[in-house]
Amino acid sequence: LYDHTYTYWGSMLREFGMELCVNNAWSGDSLGSGRFKTRAEQLHNNDGKTPDVIVVYFGINDCWGNGRNVGELLNLLENKGNKKTDDVVEEWYRGVIAKEGDCTNWDELYATLLFKLMDKYPAAKIVCIGLAHNGAKADYPSADKWVPLYNESIRAITDYLGITYVDQSKVITNENCHAYMHDTRYLHPNAHGHRLIFEEIV
C-alpha cells in the first residue's frame, strides 16, 4: 500500500521542502456537483495561512459515462475567422463570469473554478493538470471523445489566464496507461503515474 507521499503533490512536498496547506480533494467529485464553488475558497489552513501554489486536477469524473457537455468555447475558437484567439476567449470568459456561477457547460464550470481561485488567492501560482488517456476501456467508452476536448478547453482557458498547464496526456497515453493507472477502469494513477505527473509539473 502507498501513502500520500507517493502522490504527485506528496512528491512536491518531499522534494521541494514544501508544506501542505490544504488537501481539498473529494473522492468521486465532479465540477458538475457544484461543490467547487465553496471548496475553491477553502484552501487556507486553520491558522489563516494561504497557499503559494494551488494544483488543480479536476475533470475525469465529469468525463465518466457520456461526459458533461464540453461547452461552446472550442466551437467559438474553431470558427473565429479573423478574430484574435485572446479576443475570442476574453469575450467568452467575461460572459461566463457575468453568469455569477449559474453555468452548466463543463468549460464554463472550469473557468468559474479558476476565477474563484484567482479572486480568493491572487498571490498564488496556479497549476492545472490535464486529463490522462485510459486506453478506451469498455466501461469507459467516451474517453477518446471527451478527454481531448476537455484538455483543449483547459489549455485555451489557462493560456488566456496565464496559468500553467500540465499536459498529462503527453506522458500517460492509450498505449501505456495500463502501466501507470492502478485500477481496472484506468481512472486513477498508481505511484508510477503520480511520479510522471510530478515530473511534468516540475
Side-chain angles (χ1 to χ4, degrees):
L1 296 177
Y2 297 111
D3 61 27
H4 75 276
T5 61
Y6 288 90
T7 65
Y8 64 87
W9 55 270
S11 294
M12 292 174 68
L13 300 179
R14 183 179 65 252
E15 300 201 20
F16 294 111
M18 302 172 78
E19 176 186 351
L20 178 64
C21 194
V22 173
N23 175 12
N24 211 345
W26 286 28
S27 177
D29 201 9
S30 65
L31 286 173
S33 76
R35 284 188 285 264
F36 75 89
K37 295 174 185 178
T38 54
R39 289 166 58 199
E41 298 176 343
Q42 297 172 347
L43 300 182
H44 49 279
N45 64 20
N46 292 334
D47 297 328
K49 185 180 292 185
T50 59
D52 299 307
V53 177
I54 299 172
V55 182
V56 178
Y57 187 2
F58 229 141
I60 200 65
N61 289 324
D62 291 286
C63 264
W64 182 255
N66 293 320
R68 174 171 290 274
N69 182 8
V70 72
E72 65 175 355
L73 177 58
L74 295 182
N75 185 55
L76 291 173
L77 290 173
E78 187 176 341
N79 298 283
K80 65 184 177 67
N82 295 325
K83 293 182 179 179
K84 294 181 180 179
T85 296
D86 274 358
D87 291 341
V88 172
V89 180
E90 180 174 6
E91 182 179 354
W92 170 86
Y93 182 73
R94 289 181 181 276
V96 170
I97 302 310
K99 293 182 179 182
E100 297 183 348
D102 186 22
C103 304
T104 56
N105 291 334
W106 192 84
D107 54 3
E108 296 177 330
L109 294 171
Y110 200 92
T112 302
L113 165 64
L114 297 185
F115 173 80
K116 285 182 170 293
L117 291 175
M118 292 186 299
D119 185 58
K120 182 70 175 182
Y121 307 107
K125 178 176 180 61
I126 301 174
V127 178
C128 292
I129 302 175
L131 309 182
H133 295 291
N134 81 324
K137 291 286 288 182
D139 57 352
Y140 189 17
S142 62
D144 280 347
K145 173 183 178 181
W146 292 105
V147 167
L149 294 177
Y150 280 30
N151 284 342
E152 286 182 48
S153 295
I154 296 172
R155 185 185 290 277
I157 297 166
T158 54
D159 280 353
Y160 168 70
L161 296 174
I163 291 173
T164 298
Y165 171 72
V166 177
D167 188 1
Q168 184 184 183
S169 67
K170 186 171 64 177
V171 291
I172 300 181
T173 67
N174 278 337
E175 290 70 34
N176 70 14
C177 64
H178 62 280
Y180 297 113
M181 299 292 190
H182 78 80
D183 48 10
T184 57
R185 290 173 173 171
Y186 295 165
L187 283 177
H188 305 97
N190 58 24
H192 301 296
H194 275 282
R195 184 67 191 183
L196 282 184
I197 297 171
F198 163 71
E199 292 171 354
E200 287 301 302
I201 293 173
V202 174

